[in-house]
Amino acid sequence: MNTGARYSLKHFILWTRHKIYWLAVMATIPVLLYEFANWHWIAIPWVTIAFIGTAAAFIAGFKNTQSYNRTWEARTIWGGIVNSSRAWGMMVKDFVRHDDTTEEKKLHRELVYRHIAWLTALRFQLRESRSWENVKTKKYNREYLAYYTVDEWVSQLDKSMEPLLSAGELAYIMSKKNRATQLIALQSKQLRTLNENGQLDTLRYVEMENLLKEMYDHQGRSERIKNYPYPRQFASINIFFILLLVILLPFGLLNEFAKLGQYGVWLTVPFTVIVGWVFTSLEQVGESTENPFEGSANDIPITSMSRTIEIDLREMLDEENIPAPIVASNNILM
Amino acid sequence: MNTGARYSLKHFILWTRHKIYWLAVMATIPVLLYEFANWHWIAIPWVTIAFIGTAAAFIAGFKNTQSYNRTWEARTIWGGIVNSSRAWGMMVKDFVRHDDTTEEKKLHRELVYRHIAWLTALRFQLRESRSWENVKTKKYNREYLAYYTVDEWVSQLDKSMEPLLSAGELAYIMSKKNRATQLIALQSKQLRTLNENGQLDTLRYVEMENLLKEMYDHQGRSERIKNYPYPRQFASINIFFILLLVILLPFGLLNEFAKLGQYGVWLTVPFTVIVGWVFTSLEQVGESTENPFEGSANDIPITSMSRTIEIDLREMLDEENIPAPIVASNNILM
Amino acid sequence: MNTGARYSLKHFILWTRHKIYWLAVMATIPVLLYEFANWHWIAIPWVTIAFIGTAAAFIAGFKNTQSYNRTWEARTIWGGIVNSSRAWGMMVKDFVRHDDTTEEKKLHRELVYRHIAWLTALRFQLRESRSWENVKTKKYNREYLAYYTVDEWVSQLDKSMEPLLSAGELAYIMSKKNRATQLIALQSKQLRTLNENGQLDTLRYVEMENLLKEMYDHQGRSERIKNYPYPRQFASINIFFILLLVILLPFGLLNEFAKLGQYGVWLTVPFTVIVGWVFTSLEQVGESTENPFEGSANDIPITSMSRTIEIDLREMLDEENIPAPIVASNNILM
Amino acid sequence: MNTGARYSLKHFILWTRHKIYWLAVMATIPVLLYEFANWHWIAIPWVTIAFIGTAAAFIAGFKNTQSYNRTWEARTIWGGIVNSSRAWGMMVKDFVRHDDTTEEKKLHRELVYRHIAWLTALRFQLRESRSWENVKTKKYNREYLAYYTVDEWVSQLDKSMEPLLSAGELAYIMSKKNRATQLIALQSKQLRTLNENGQLDTLRYVEMENLLKEMYDHQGRSERIKNYPYPRQFASINIFFILLLVILLPFGLLNEFAKLGQYGVWLTVPFTVIVGWVFTSLEQVGESTENPFEGSANDIPITSMSRTIEIDLREMLDEENIPAPIVASNNILM
Amino acid sequence: MNTGARYSLKHFILWTRHKIYWLAVMATIPVLLYEFANWHWIAIPWVTIAFIGTAAAFIAGFKNTQSYNRTWEARTIWGGIVNSSRAWGMMVKDFVRHDDTTEEKKLHRELVYRHIAWLTALRFQLRESRSWENVKTKKYNREYLAYYTVDEWVSQLDKSMEPLLSAGELAYIMSKKNRATQLIALQSKQLRTLNENGQLDTLRYVEMENLLKEMYDHQGRSERIKNYPYPRQFASINIFFILLLVILLPFGLLNEFAKLGQYGVWLTVPFTVIVGWVFTSLEQVGESTENPFEGSANDIPITSMSRTIEIDLREMLDEENIPAPIVASNNILM
């Protein structure tokens, strides 16, 4: 996520410059035909453009709305992960009891660290790439990757989980397909043992199982947004309609600008670029908000949020070496 | 669902080509009357079209919004099925206990396999056809069926459930009307026995019953979307208004294009096709998104999701022969 | 609900024909004044109409959206009733236990049949008439009643509940104001007895009480939609604005059509009818969707859904004489 | 709430007549200047008006949408109160047990009557006035108060609660700031005593406490809508923009009507009134829907709903003298 | 929040005056060029402006909608805090029991006061500044700060919590990063002790832990809105498009006003200011609603709500010196 007041206009223009060039070319062609080939009949009536504009505006607006909803829901889910994680820390500390304080502390640490391992596995899974994501396939997005680092792309999952799990558990988990899922199953397994050994009476045990169920809900909701894109049929017509609109735009503007006098028609080029830029930028911003876990500058900051949870939980355990929060790089917080 | 970046323009044009032909014919008629019968009075004022366009755009936009909502809710419900299934696996393993480990494993397997049978029965029920669905009644949708396979249409329910249920249970279930409903009832029946036999104390038993209740909720919500279409009164006026709009469109464009000079009026044909195509495509995309369980290319991928759940559950049981995930065919994942 | 692909255009035109006649008359008057009285000043500028059109379109669109929401929420509530009913059947069977199997079966049947009685009482209550409902007050809706039957209007509540309740309970319930409410109270009363007699331990008892509480929620939500209409202040301005719009419409079209030449002005009549029909149909469809429990063709099919629940529950009890599902009559399912 | 099919046009015109007068005056001034001072330059281009109209329409539409949402949420909350109240009645009757039937009945009555007292205190609190409410400050609303009575304004809270509480409790409650809050606290206090005395085992006790928590939720949600108006910054620009629009409207219409010939310009006055009336009525209806507990004709009928609950609860207690439902006066139900 | 009927027009104009000045300057430049440099070609066709206006209106409307949603959600969350706090007070009083009444009262007070400390820590955390907030960075907002006081900016957290916590707990809490989080953990710690000592049986204990979990949910939801702004990519294009629109506006109006005669073109200046003011005010109001916890006049009144909760809780404890509610200053309630 961007943590500044706004993107700088310079950055934004750079990010959209390819479309600006393309628009300039597309606008120049009809003007040349009009002026030099004298094809005045290509100056089509504005009402046609206006009608297509209405449909394109609807579908682009709709896409932006749904992209926003996807991002906001993703943030809400991860907010829920923060809340459930704090509750997990609290319940671990006060529900899991042992006559031996050292033993109790060890149990608490195990259950909390395995939870942090789950967060780690989950954020690695969510930052993997999908065939419909744009951050690595579109040139302007790849360029922008220079401004920030995606921890999940430069680190190794097993290395990242090593300080959090026993060697046996680490190996077991790495052998599984969906590691986050099996980590929760491991938590449940330990709770069963605690329940059988009497460190956790059944009522409190069931409460904690329900909290694990809540973690599955959070994970599954994140995966839903990750694995189910903005429906491609809507994304497709969005692209087709916007394209159609900006291609026809200069033809519609010719007549209007021709009225300005001899050279007026040439103003078609800058104004096609301006109007076209507005619509293609709207589309490009929507597209870059669609997938909140793809590693783009507009992602939900799950690396940073996981760290925040880790800090809260370690403070609950009254640990000493609390790691520092993650800070934004060039206003981009991941 | 389509898993690509977008539908190819070629596929999309092919899929909408029947309406393009029809639009071309509908647009040519008024031009012929205008040019050769010299009926200039048929060139009606644009404001009429604009007004109908507003109403048609509202109702088409509304339909697309609600179709999207239906699809997204369907995906959310099935995301919930994933979450509850994982919780089911976890609770089966840690709540159902037996002194004899082999016996315990057998119990776990029975409860997990019957759950997979429920998923199977449910997806077969959801992929049955309804009188308002389009995938088999519209020619362009039937053509598109060549690109992918609907497992529930080519497989047999009883064959698919055979490895998951005992012969007695299979026969019992196949004799019932709503098989998914009665499968959950069977799960509950076994839980009762376990509770009576002391393998499942009452507190944990009630928790698991609540999870079965949650399965009924997921199933019922899927059935709601399946059995209650986008209200046909709204679908009807949508079709009537869009039809009215594209029929009147060339009459409204005649005057505008006539201003372009001698042959300008002929441009009415391509531009009616272009504008009409935008509106009918919007409508056609909405229609093909309306019913997320009909077996169309834009369906929720419930076959594939059921497989994902199966993989997760079998990994929880630490089984060996885990089936592979289902892969998309021509970018279509079912 | 309509279960077809759409309403036939013929039925739809018949259903809206009164407004078409009225529009034709309202459009002819200004044309006559313009042509024969030569009152050319009555051809008011289009911008006025466009402005009123914007406000009318907003408020009509808003009403359709909210009517849709009301209907969809009603369907969701009744979907919830299906889910809770299945859970009720499951819990009755596995929670209520008796050493004597015959006695146990009798208890199960009582609790399930009384639940079906509740469904019956509820659907009778929901299909009573309210002062703001349209199905019996508007001529076009009364005409359409010929195509289907509303069971709750032709049957008697006490006769319908007779096979489901003991004679004493039936008399008690018929003496109450809100019968559905008191039926749930009777269920709770029996559960108390079962709890006191030890056929239902307290933990399972409380779970079942919570399910009864859920039934009260479903019932209360249905009653909310039944007893609280789309706010009449919004419905009122909707009617006023649409009326104003279609009355002014021909005055605004006069000038536009007058430009078409000598008889062009007469085209004002058919085009006022067409445009006016679009707006009044939008309004009429919204109005007929507003109240999802009034007995209209666009109602939620609560008679049929109650039957589906009855089938599921009786199959759970492994009964023999399962009633058949209700089928649509002329594509209308109630 | 209005329980009729709609507000009569006559009532509606009367209710909005002050704005009609004002609009007529505001429209006449520019016409006089145009005609008699010959200031033709004041006829400003329509596009300016159209642009302001777009912004005003958006913000007015937004306000109506949110007002509707506030009202609908308020109704939903009170629907929830109905549901929880019925559950309260059911649980009181079947959870609170005493060996002595008379004593048991007395306990039930106390708990149910105190609940009705809570409803009473709550509705009195919700019908108090707030600085942003309109029902007493706007002349047209005060006039309309003649058509109905607000029970909470003409009755006394202590008198209304007298039959429902013991004298001691009544005095205690009247000494508190938020009486509804402290009434729930009293319920909880009695439950504690019942639990300590063994008339209510802990499991059922906790269930009933959760129901009291639910009552706090309902109360708090009602208070949220009561104490937090539609944000005044949005309400403010709504008023400013609508005002700006209707003031500029006649200036924009002058040119359009001037084209109609010699006296055409005078039509600016009626059409400014018509168009202006549409926009100001939209605003006035929105305003009168904003605050659903202020005592206006468009309020949620909380007096009547409280009575309905009272009837249901007393029928559950099998009482004899059940009060009659509250009926609408001039179609207004409070 | 503003508690008046509306903002005074004077205040509003003052608050937006900087943009009015800027708009006047931006509008004068093209008029001068048109009139004195005779650059008539700069009068660009209106359709261009209209198109950009559509996109700007959509994105500005969208921002206002989402800002409203953020504010309303924030209010809903804090409404939830009110409800949970009352439930906390009720459960503390009736669940935590001690044979010694004095000791019991002490326990109750501790648990209630620590809860008020949590409210205090939370509101201090929420009123800290973020890099994207506007209340301190925009001149017009800083000016408006003269009308009210933000308690969290003028008071000290430790001083404010001193009367509510023991010295040891205060020191412990002040050493932590997220104090609110650790205060809830302290509550849970005391509950564990009470449970171990038998003053709180396990069933009631688990209920109260769940209430603490609810507090974490409320806190985390508030933090979500605090720490995740309206996405900056949308905020950025909003500013770019509105800017583009108002810069081009006078160029588009030139032609329209030029038609009014010799000096008509000068009317471009006031009307650019009026129309531009409408759009920039819409944007400015949206911006000032975006962040409901930043300390602006449009904030959720969390200081005042915390006081309300404190009053309710102390009345539940039957204390004497209840503090007075916080009153609005210049109609601004914080």
Side-chain angles (χ1 to χ4, degrees), chain A residues 224-256:
Chain A
R224 163 164 51 82
I225 290 178
K226 178 72 184 178
N227 294 328
Y228 191 75
Y230 179 67
R232 302 334 281 164
Q233 66 270 35
F234 286 116
S236 303
I237 53 170
N238 193 11
I239 291 167
F240 300 156
F241 291 2
I242 294 271
L243 205 71
L244 192 61
L245 178 70
V246 297
I247 288 175
L248 292 178
L249 199 56
F251 296 88
L253 288 175
L254 278 174
N255 253 344
E256 307 289 333

Side-chain angles (χ1 to χ4, degrees), chain B residues 40-49 51-52 54-56 58-59 62 66-67 70 73 131-132 134 138 172 175-178 181-182 184-185 187-193 195-196 202-206 209-210 212-213 216-221 223-225 227-237 239-241 243-244 248 255, chain C residues 1-9 12 46 49-50 53 57 60-62 64-65 67-69 71-72 75-76 79 82-84 86-87 90-91 93-98 104 108 201 203-204 207 211 214 245 249 253 256-257 260 267 271 274-275 277-279 281-282 285-286 288-289 298-301 311-312 315-316 318 322-323 325:
Chain B
H40 283 203
W41 58 270
I42 63 171
I44 59 171
W46 183 252
V47 290
T48 322
I49 312 296
F51 240 56
I52 298 174
T54 301
F58 163 72
I59 198 80
F62 184 62
Q66 298 307 341
S67 292
R70 285 170 63 85
E73 192 188 351
S131 48
W132 52 80
N134 307 297
K138 297 290 166 77
Y172 176 80
S175 78
K176 295 294 186 180
K177 295 234 168 58
N178 190 322
T181 301
Q182 305 300 334
I184 297 289
Q187 294 282 45
S188 172
K189 195 179 168 190
Q190 180 165 18
L191 292 188
R192 174 179 170 169
T193 312
N195 176 241
E196 288 173 336
T202 300
L203 196 60
R204 295 186 324 238
Y205 169 49
V206 165
E209 281 284 305
N210 279 329
L212 291 180
K213 187 169 172 306
Y216 271 149
D217 285 346
H218 296 313
Q219 175 183 337
R221 283 178 191 135
E223 289 172 353
R224 163 163 53 83
I225 290 178
N227 293 328
Y228 191 75
Y230 179 66
R232 302 333 283 163
Q233 66 270 34
F234 286 116
S236 303
I237 53 170
I239 291 166
F240 301 156
F241 291 2
L243 206 71
L244 191 61
L248 291 177
N255 252 344
Chain C
M1 68 179 266
N2 187 308
T3 62
R6 88 188 72 146
Y7 279 96
S8 80
L9 185 55
F12 196 82
W46 183 253
I49 313 297
F62 184 63
N64 276 281
T65 305
S67 293
Y68 176 88
N69 289 348
T71 285
W72 185 241
R75 183 58 182 80
T76 303
V82 172
N83 307 343
S84 301
R86 288 171 178 167
M90 175 179 83
M91 287 194 182
K93 266 185 66 181
D94 296 322
F95 279 7
V96 176
R97 302 173 187 173
H98 199 286
E104 190 182 293
H108 293 175
D201 80 18
L203 196 60
R204 296 186 323 239
E207 251 1 89
L211 206 45
E214 218 173 282
L245 178 70
L249 199 55
L253 288 175
E256 308 288 334
F257 281 102
L260 295 189
L267 284 174
F271 280 95
I274 288 175
V275 176
W277 175 81
V278 164
F279 277 82
S281 293
L282 196 62
V285 162
S288 83
T289 309
N298 296 322
D299 259 32
I300 296 299
I311 294 170
D312 277 357
E315 281 209 323
M316 269 190 207
D318 291 319
I322 311 286

Side-chain angles (χ1 to χ4, degrees), chain D residues 40-49 51-52 54-56 58-59 62 66-67 70 73 131-132 138 172 175-178 181-182 184-185 187-193 195-196 202-206 209-210 212-213 216-221 223-225 227-237 239-241 243-244 248 255, chain E residues 1-9 12 46 49-50 53 57 60-62 64-65 67-69 71-72 75-76 79 82-84 86-87 90-91 93-98 104 108 201 203-204 207 211 214 245 249 253 256-257 260 267 271 274-275 277-279 281-282 285-286 288-289 298-301 311-312 315-316 318 322-323:
Chain D
H40 283 204
W41 57 271
I42 63 171
I44 58 171
W46 182 252
V47 288
T48 320
I49 313 296
F51 241 56
I52 297 174
T54 301
F58 163 72
I59 198 80
F62 184 63
Q66 299 307 341
S67 293
R70 286 170 62 86
E73 193 189 350
S131 47
W132 54 78
K138 298 288 167 77
Y172 176 80
S175 77
K176 295 293 187 179
K177 295 233 167 61
N178 190 321
T181 302
Q182 305 300 334
I184 297 290
Q187 293 282 46
S188 173
K189 195 178 167 189
Q190 181 165 18
L191 292 188
R192 174 179 171 169
T193 311
N195 176 243
E196 287 173 337
T202 300
L203 196 60
R204 298 188 321 242
Y205 168 48
V206 165
E209 281 284 306
N210 279 330
L212 291 181
K213 186 170 173 305
Y216 271 149
D217 285 346
H218 296 313
Q219 175 184 336
R221 283 180 191 133
E223 289 172 353
R224 163 163 53 83
I225 290 178
N227 293 329
Y228 191 74
Y230 179 66
R232 303 332 281 163
Q233 65 270 33
F234 287 116
S236 303
I237 55 170
I239 292 167
F240 300 156
F241 291 2
L243 204 71
L244 192 61
L248 292 177
N255 253 345
Chain E
M1 70 180 267
N2 187 309
T3 61
R6 89 187 71 145
Y7 279 95
S8 79
L9 185 54
F12 196 81
W46 183 253
I49 313 296
F62 184 62
N64 277 281
T65 306
S67 293
Y68 176 88
N69 288 350
T71 286
W72 185 240
R75 183 58 182 79
T76 304
V82 172
N83 307 345
S84 301
R86 287 171 178 167
M90 174 178 83
M91 288 195 180
K93 266 185 67 183
D94 295 323
F95 279 7
V96 177
R97 300 172 189 173
H98 199 287
E104 190 181 294
H108 293 175
D201 80 17
L203 196 60
R204 297 187 322 239
E207 261 344 281
L211 206 46
E214 220 173 281
L245 177 69
L249 198 56
L253 288 175
E256 308 289 334
F257 280 102
L260 294 189
L267 284 175
F271 281 95
I274 288 174
V275 175
W277 176 81
V278 164
F279 277 82
S281 294
L282 196 62
V285 162
S288 81
T289 309
N298 296 323
D299 260 33
I300 297 300
I311 293 170
D312 276 358
E315 281 207 325
M316 270 192 205
D318 290 319
I322 312 284

Side-chain angles (χ1 to χ4, degrees), chain B residues 98-136:
Chain B
H98 199 287
D99 298 331
D100 178 349
T101 328
T102 322
E103 196 60 30
E104 190 182 293
K105 288 212 159 184
K106 189 170 149 288
L107 287 172
H108 293 176
R109 203 168 48 239
E110 273 173 28
L111 287 160
V112 165
Y113 277 36
R114 200 183 289 112
H115 183 75
I116 301 171
W118 170 74
L119 283 171
T120 310
L122 184 55
R123 66 184 168 89
F124 271 81
Q125 286 172 208
L126 292 176
R127 287 265 165 83
E128 284 165 10
S129 290
R130 291 290 179 276
S131 48
W132 52 80
E133 289 176 355
N134 307 297
V135 72
K136 289 174 173 168

Side-chain angles (χ1 to χ4, degrees), chain A residues 43 58 66 131 172 176-178 188 192 195 205 213 216-217 220 223-224 228 232-234 236, chain B residues 2-3 5 7 61 64 68 71-72 83 86 90 93-94 97 104 211 214 260 289 298 315-316 318:
Chain A
F58 163 72
Q66 298 307 342
S131 49
Y172 176 80
K176 295 292 187 181
K177 294 233 168 60
N178 190 322
S188 173
R192 175 180 170 170
N195 176 242
Y205 168 49
K213 188 169 172 306
Y216 272 149
D217 286 346
E223 289 172 353
R224 163 164 51 82
Y228 191 75
R232 302 334 281 164
Q233 66 270 35
F234 286 116
S236 303
Chain B
N2 187 309
T3 60
Y7 279 96
N64 277 280
Y68 176 88
T71 285
W72 186 240
N83 307 343
R86 288 172 178 167
M90 175 178 81
K93 265 186 67 183
D94 296 322
R97 301 173 188 173
E104 190 182 293
L211 206 45
E214 219 173 283
L260 295 189
T289 309
N298 297 322
E315 282 208 324
M316 269 190 207
D318 291 319

